[in-house]
Amino acid sequence: MTVDLSAEASTARFSPRQRARISRGVQYTVLLALLVVVLVSADWSRVGETVFNLASAQELIGDLPQAFLNTLTYTLAAFVVGITLGTLLALMRLSSVGPYRWIATVYTEFFRGIPALLVVITVYYALPQAFGISLSSVAAISAISLGSVAAAYIAETMRAGIQAVPKGQVEAARSLGMSHTRTLIKVVLPQAFRTVLPPLTNELLLLTKDTSLLFAIGMTPVQYELTKIGRDALSSGAGGGLTPLFLVGACYLIITIPLGFLTRWLERRTGGTA
């Protein structure tokens, strides 16, 4: 029985670090080759006309600041409702009263299981038809619909944060004569919020993108959010191809990239706990 020692010897010539360096070099070479192929094969004149059309951008640029502000307003309105209702639901899930737990469980499972767009459409059309409540404010519609969905996710995050608070601190607060409610407000919730800050910031980021679902409801031009204004500009056929969507995407990135950096910074500050 012969053993091929040449292959083993050739492999042994390289240390694990050298093999890893060679592997990275091969991957970089392949990626660079793919990039060169894309750059050479692309029709840059068509790309410029379709994506970076200055004439189309100038027509849209005047409406973007209002749409940008509206997007932030709708996001914050939904987040305020989401974090308020989500905290209440989390406390209900942890309550010793059975009906509270059942209600909170049904709510979270229901709103986590249906599309947010369906909730937006239902709130917009069902409230006037079923209850005679007509909402002319898009911020109110966003707060009710997107806030209700966000609350289901925030409730689970807050529940985990509350359960992460050491029981010894709760017992110490109660031994000092603090009531259950005061212990909850003064001791438990502040620590829970600190623990869940990174996922809450991430939820705010997701809500920013979810405001794009509001394009499905009726709005006046002054109420347009970013996706709505980009969609209308695209469907108007005024030229410029994908330039409106490129500008709208850039506006979303202006919001979401700083939030992403904030999330990672908070994760480092809290030691990665969530």
Side-chain angles (χ1 to χ4, degrees):
M1 180 177 178
T2 59
V3 179
D4 187 1
L5 299 177
S6 59
E8 295 182 2
S10 60
T11 304
R13 283 185 298 178
F14 300 104
S15 66
R17 180 174 298 180
Q18 289 174 325
R19 288 197 294 270
R21 188 180 300 116
I22 293 172
S23 176
R24 286 196 300 269
V26 172
Q27 295 177 55
Y28 290 151
T29 303
V30 172
L31 290 174
L32 181 60
L34 291 175
L35 179 61
V36 171
V37 170
V38 171
L39 293 176
V40 171
S41 61
D43 186 351
W44 290 106
S45 61
R46 186 174 180 81
V47 171
E49 180 182 352
T50 304
V51 182
F52 304 105
N53 190 298
L54 294 180
S56 178
Q58 289 174 353
E59 293 178 4
L60 188 64
I61 201 71
D63 299 325
L64 282 178
Q66 183 63 51
F68 187 91
L69 180 61
N70 287 342
T71 298
L72 292 178
T73 301
Y74 304 154
T75 300
L76 292 177
F79 187 71
V80 169
V81 171
I83 196 169
T84 303
L85 182 57
T87 302
L88 178 61
L89 289 169
L91 295 175
M92 291 173 66
R93 286 290 299 270
L94 297 172
S95 173
S96 59
V97 181
Y100 288 164
R101 296 197 305 271
W102 304 334
I103 292 172
T105 300
V106 170
Y107 181 98
T108 54
E109 294 301 325
F110 177 79
F111 279 98
R112 291 174 68 187
I114 60 175
L117 179 59
L118 181 61
V119 180
V120 171
I121 295 174
T122 300
V123 168
Y124 180 68
Y125 289 103
L127 287 182
Q129 294 180 8
F131 303 100
I133 302 175
S134 180
L135 296 175
S136 58
S137 170
V138 180
I141 296 172
S142 175
I144 295 173
S145 57
L146 298 180
S148 297
V149 176
Y153 292 92
I154 292 175
E156 291 301 292
T157 301
M158 286 301 304
R159 182 167 68 94
I162 292 172
Q163 290 178 322
V165 177
K167 292 183 179 180
Q169 298 192 22
V170 177
E171 295 171 354
R174 296 303 301 273
S175 67
L176 292 175
M178 297 177 67
S179 65
H180 176 75
T181 302
R182 190 177 179 188
T183 300
L184 183 66
I185 296 174
K186 295 287 188 179
V187 178
V188 177
L189 287 181
Q191 295 187 65
F193 273 111
R194 183 180 182 277
T195 301
V196 301
L197 267 179
L200 285 181
T201 308
N202 191 57
E203 183 62 34
L204 181 61
L205 188 151
L206 295 175
L207 269 177
T208 302
K209 295 184 288 185
D210 283 347
T211 57
S212 62
L213 301 175
L214 296 172
F215 82 92
I217 67 176
M219 298 183 191
T220 61
V222 73
Q223 295 175 319
Y224 282 4
E225 43 78 39
L226 288 170
T227 299
K228 179 70 171 177
I229 198 173
R231 181 176 179 272
D232 280 12
L234 186 65
S235 62
S236 66
L242 300 176
T243 301
L245 297 184
F246 177 80
L247 288 175
V248 166
C251 290
Y252 276 113
L253 290 176
I254 292 174
I255 302 173
T256 57
I257 288 178
L259 283 177
F261 281 118
L262 177 61
T263 301
R264 289 188 289 273
W265 179 77
L266 289 172
E267 287 176 346
R268 290 194 297 269
R269 285 293 301 272
T270 58
T273 58

